[in-house]
Amino acid sequence: MKALFPAAAVPENAKDLFRIVIYMVKAPAILFLLLSIVLLLSFATSHHDNSRVDLRKVYSRPYDQWPAPFVDKEIDWKELGILPATPLLVSSDSLRPVVELGKILFFEPRISGSGKISCASCHQPELSWTDKRERSLGHGDQVNKRNSPSLQNVWFYKKLFWDGRSADLEDQAFAPINSESEMHGDMRSLPFKLKSIPGYPSLFAAAFGDSLINADRVATALAMFERTISSRKSRFDEFLQGDKNALNKTELRGLHLFRTKARCMNCHHGPLFSDNSFHNNGFAGKDKGLYQVTHRDEDLGKLKTPSLRDVMRTGPWMHDGAEKEMPQIIEKYNKGVANPRTDKLIKPLRLNTREKADLLAFLEAISSAPLEFKRPRLPG
């Protein structure tokens, strides 16, 4: 009796026996309550406290044995993975001259109205193919409306620009050249300008079989070159390829949080960390985003989901470059972005201080320096 009821003495009279009977009636409910609390704490610990889980062992398993990510049921997600190679085989003899022409045109300032701005002015290879500005400077030092995103792995996107107004890279090439505020050029007159520059007729002949220069060929060459722009593999890729010490404990906790409690996989999944779609993440402000293309009310403020590959090297962030510090971005997502049109996928995360630091560490682990690149010599 003492073992079961340490607070009660062995009954010596009827009154003591009555107390014990009452205690025994109440005990199952008390025990059930205590057991429930223990189970809830155990569940919470298994899901949110990674200190007791061997994450290195968990994530050293094949992808299909990883823990299920925390994603909403309607999300058609893909598992994270090794950086894919560009689908364009530059080694092909037929493609190499087209890519080489596109590379030259990409760095050619004479395609702009002033003769001073090239595609590379806003997408510099040594800066992970960005310009590190909030918003790029265009013709006459005009400040453009949006931030210039990285072109690394740009072949991946189904739609181009923050608002998705271009369906492919060939179509996209026309917009900045013709824009009065960006390059202030003219695709209709550009072929005549290029014909007058020694060296270009022979480059077009090598690329296309004859020396004809027209707007479509300019766009094709630029698009072909842009499809070859790729990231360098990161330490995360090295980890996936078998180097199980490529990530430290902090970064492994960040990986787990990225896939679970932080809910990042709802929008940033697959090997390129993007769902290739559009969302209103609460940062759009007055930018109408995809609505400008579709004119559907539900698309108001939706912007392209950028790849998080090399994210720590491509700031400032968001469509307008307004976010300068990644910890502040994480904190805003952590609290939940208050905006009536914010996508329902954006919910408060309630990460603690260590978890936010772990998540930041993982973003560093998927970021690497750009591949070495030699700028081409321009003709004429």
Side-chain angles (χ1 to χ4, degrees):
M1 294 294 287
K2 288 182 179 179
L4 289 174
F5 308 106
V10 176
E12 296 179 355
N13 52 49
K15 186 182 289 187
D16 290 338
L17 182 61
F18 178 76
R19 290 196 193 100
I20 292 172
V21 169
I22 295 299
Y23 189 91
M24 291 179 68
V25 170
K26 293 181 178 180
I30 295 171
L31 290 173
F32 178 78
L33 177 61
L34 291 173
L35 180 60
S36 298
I37 292 172
V38 170
L39 288 173
L40 285 171
L41 288 173
S42 175
F43 178 83
T45 298
S46 66
H47 280 73
H48 302 313
D49 182 4
N50 302 326
S51 61
R52 299 184 183 182
V53 178
D54 187 350
L55 292 177
R56 194 172 304 280
K57 181 177 180 180
V58 169
Y59 285 101
S60 293
R61 298 168 183 164
Y63 302 162
D64 58 359
Q65 296 179 29
W66 283 9
F70 288 10
V71 294
D72 289 6
K73 61 182 180 180
E74 69 271 19
I75 301 300
D76 182 19
W77 61 277
K78 297 178 179 60
E79 190 53 83
L80 306 179
I82 297 170
L83 175 70
T86 170
L88 190 63
L89 298 176
V90 186
S91 59
S92 169
D93 291 339
S94 62
L95 291 180
R96 192 181 302 115
V98 183
V99 171
E100 186 62 28
L101 172 61
K103 182 193 297 185
I104 293 170
L105 290 170
F106 190 90
F107 289 87
E108 177 59 84
R110 289 170 288 189
I111 67 176
S112 68
S114 65
K116 298 178 180 179
I117 302 173
S118 70
C119 303
S121 297
C122 299
H123 302 284
Q124 301 177 38
E126 61 273 15
L127 298 180
S128 296
W129 299 88
T130 69
D131 61 4
K132 294 297 183 184
R133 296 178 181 272
E134 287 185 30
R135 289 168 290 167
S136 299
L137 297 179
H139 182 73
D141 288 335
Q142 294 181 70
V143 179
N144 289 314
K145 181 180 178 181
R146 293 176 176 139
N147 174 267
S148 292
S150 172
L151 292 187
Q152 291 179 144
N153 316 306
V154 70
W155 56 266
F156 163 76
Y157 295 109
K158 297 176 182 177
K159 301 287 185 180
L160 281 304
F161 293 110
W162 283 102
D163 57 16
R165 65 184 182 272
S166 282
D168 54 42
L169 286 166
E170 284 79 4
D171 178 65
Q172 181 274 336
F174 282 78
I177 293 175
N178 288 332
S179 170
E180 292 185 6
S181 63
E182 292 186 53
M183 299 180 77
H184 198 68
D186 184 356
M187 268 292 208
R188 292 172 299 180
S189 60
L190 180 58
F192 299 101
K193 182 186 289 190
L194 293 176
K195 287 177 185 177
S196 67
I197 301 174
Y200 272 115
S202 60
L203 285 170
F204 275 83
F208 296 105
D210 60 65
S211 60
L212 173 66
I213 301 177
N214 59 30
D216 286 339
R217 284 185 171 184
V218 170
T220 296
L222 283 169
M224 285 292 193
F225 165 65
E226 289 167 357
R227 290 189 178 101
T228 68
I229 300 173
S230 177
S231 295
R232 184 193 299 272
K233 286 187 177 179
S234 65
R235 286 188 294 108
F236 176 63
D237 296 298
E238 294 172 4
F239 178 82
L240 295 181
Q241 289 178 312
D243 182 358
K244 299 311 174 184
N245 293 315
L247 300 182
N248 61 35
K249 291 182 179 180
T250 302
E251 292 158 348
L252 281 169
R253 291 196 302 265
L255 164 61
H256 187 64
L257 286 164
F258 187 95
R259 299 183 67 261
T260 55
K261 185 179 177 181
R263 293 177 50 81
C264 305
M265 290 275 287
N266 278 282
C267 299
H268 297 282
H269 55 73
L272 287 171
F273 293 81
S274 170
D275 63 359
N276 223 335
S277 188
F278 297 80
H279 300 279
N280 186 332
N281 63 357
F283 290 83
K286 296 181 180 180
D287 197 316
K288 294 182 180 180
L290 185 61
Y291 174 84
Q292 293 178 312
V293 179
T294 66
H295 302 292
R296 298 184 303 188
D297 288 344
E298 61 268 28
D299 291 334
L300 189 62
K302 287 186 177 181
L303 297 160
K304 185 176 69 175
T305 305
S307 168
L308 293 187
R309 285 274 176 181
D310 308 315
V311 63
M312 298 305 294
R313 290 178 171 268
T314 56
W317 299 277
M318 301 300 169
H319 69 288
D320 56 358
E323 300 297 327
K324 310 295 191 303
E325 302 292 337
M326 186 58 70
Q328 293 178 4
I329 296 176
I330 292 175
E331 184 57 35
K332 287 182 179 180
Y333 278 119
N334 193 44
K335 292 179 178 178
V337 185
N339 185 312
R341 289 190 175 274
T342 300
D343 197 303
K344 65 180 181 178
L345 295 173
I346 310 298
K347 301 174 182 178
L349 305 177
R350 299 182 178 86
L351 303 177
N352 61 37
T353 301
R354 193 189 80 167
E355 289 171 330
K356 287 183 283 188
D358 291 344
L359 185 59
L360 182 63
F362 177 64
L363 296 181
E364 291 280 5
I366 62 174
S367 301
S368 59
L371 292 166
E372 293 181 7
F373 184 87
K374 184 177 180 181
R375 292 180 178 237
R377 182 178 178 180
L378 301 180

